[in-house]
């Protein structure tokens, strides 16, 4: 015999599913099939979507320092609700989430140079290993060692440039986000 569920019972089942109660447990508890439990959850979700309710959850892990900085920005701009602030940031990204074409182009050109450096390092390591395995002295003259030092310097410079570009991009994003939070505060969010 099939049991007919009222709206309140369906809501209760759907809520418990969202809370993580296993459908098999709910089926036993309410005297229905597991399939009915899934149908209740889907029906309630469909009703929420139809009514324009918020049904999706975004999870993002941040460091305590990042969260403190975000909260400080919200407080500074007069916004009291994190969730509403994040919803507004999502609605009003204004290109903030778009990749930085200039940074991408610079990194791409650096990638080619770094590949050449990587090939050179591989050749140097091969020659050193061959000499070591044969019990011979290193096959490098003082000039070769100078070139290797230059190569190491190039790699360090590359890392510094990449770091500067990334920091610049982050600073630009922070400015855009700060501006957007100020606009949200002005709109009374």
């Amino acid at each position: 015999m099939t049991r007919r569920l009222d709206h309140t019972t369906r809501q209760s089942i759907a809520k418990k599913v969202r809370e993580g109660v296993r459908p098999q447990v709910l089926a036993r508890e309410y005297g229905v099939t597991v399939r009915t439990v899934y149908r209740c959850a889907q029906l309630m979700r469909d009703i929420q979507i139809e009514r324009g309710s918020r049904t999706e959850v975004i999870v993002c892990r941040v460091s305590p320092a990042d969260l403190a900085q975000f909260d400080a920005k919200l407080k500074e701009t007069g916004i009291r609700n994190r969730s509403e602030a994040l919803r507004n940031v999502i609605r009003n990204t204004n290109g903030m989430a778009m990749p930085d074409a200039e940074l991408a182009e610079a990194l791409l050109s650096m990638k080619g140079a770094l590949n050449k450096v990587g090939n050179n390092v591989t050749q140097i390591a091969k020659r050193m290993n061959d000499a070591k395995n044969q019990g011979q002295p290193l096959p490098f003259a003082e000039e070769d060692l100078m070139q290797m030092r230059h190569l190491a310097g190039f790699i360090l410079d590359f890392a510094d440039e990449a770091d500067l570009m990334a920091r610049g991009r982050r600073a630009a994003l922070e400015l855009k986000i700060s501006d957007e939070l100020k606009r949200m505060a002005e709109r009374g969010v």
Side-chain angles (χ1 to χ4, degrees):
M1 179 172 178
T2 306
R3 180 173 172 215
R4 185 122 176 107
L5 301 175
D6 60 21
H7 186 73
T8 306
T9 305
R10 287 188 192 116
Q11 284 180 317
S12 176
I13 290 172
K15 182 178 183 230
K16 289 180 180 182
V17 167
R18 283 193 310 273
E19 292 170 351
V21 178
R22 293 180 53 224
Q24 294 81 356
V25 172
L26 292 172
R28 280 194 302 274
E29 180 181 333
Y30 287 92
V32 295
T33 65
V34 173
R35 184 175 179 196
T36 299
V37 170
Y38 283 116
R39 281 185 181 163
C40 289
Q42 186 61 47
L43 176 67
M44 291 300 116
R45 182 177 164 79
D46 291 345
I47 288 171
Q48 284 180 319
I49 290 170
E50 210 174 275
R51 292 179 179 165
S53 297
R54 299 176 184 122
T55 59
E56 302 302 319
V57 176
I58 296 175
V59 177
C60 176
R61 294 185 188 276
V62 295
S63 70
D66 287 341
L67 185 58
Q69 185 179 13
F70 182 69
D71 287 341
K73 293 271 186 203
L74 293 180
K75 186 175 182 181
E76 177 184 309
T77 57
I79 297 171
R80 288 176 250 130
N81 185 320
R82 271 187 206 155
S83 294
E84 191 60 33
L86 290 171
R87 277 191 289 277
N88 279 300
V89 168
I90 289 168
R91 287 185 203 118
N92 301 299
T93 59
N94 294 329
M96 283 187 291
M98 298 301 288
D100 185 330
E102 184 180 321
L103 178 62
E105 184 179 325
L107 289 174
L108 190 60
S109 68
M110 288 180 164
K111 179 183 171 187
L114 195 55
N115 280 339
K116 289 178 185 177
V117 170
N119 288 337
N120 290 342
V121 169
T122 301
Q123 293 300 318
I124 292 167
K126 182 179 180 331
R127 288 174 60 190
M128 290 174 80
N129 280 331
D130 289 346
K132 178 183 169 190
N133 290 338
Q134 295 172 6
Q136 298 174 351
L138 291 179
F140 299 110
E142 187 62 34
E143 182 182 314
D144 295 328
L145 293 174
M146 289 293 286
Q147 287 179 350
M148 283 185 246
R149 285 188 192 101
H150 176 73
L151 193 57
F154 174 80
I155 292 170
L156 293 173
D157 289 344
F158 172 82
D160 289 342
E161 284 184 42
D163 181 56
L164 284 172
M165 284 190 288
R167 286 175 191 260
R169 171 69 172 154
R170 181 179 175 142
L173 281 175
E174 285 176 0
L175 285 174
K176 284 183 180 181
I177 290 170
S178 292
D179 290 345
E180 185 59 36
L181 290 174
K182 284 177 188 170
R183 280 193 291 276
M184 287 168 34
E186 288 167 3
R187 290 191 308 256
V189 174

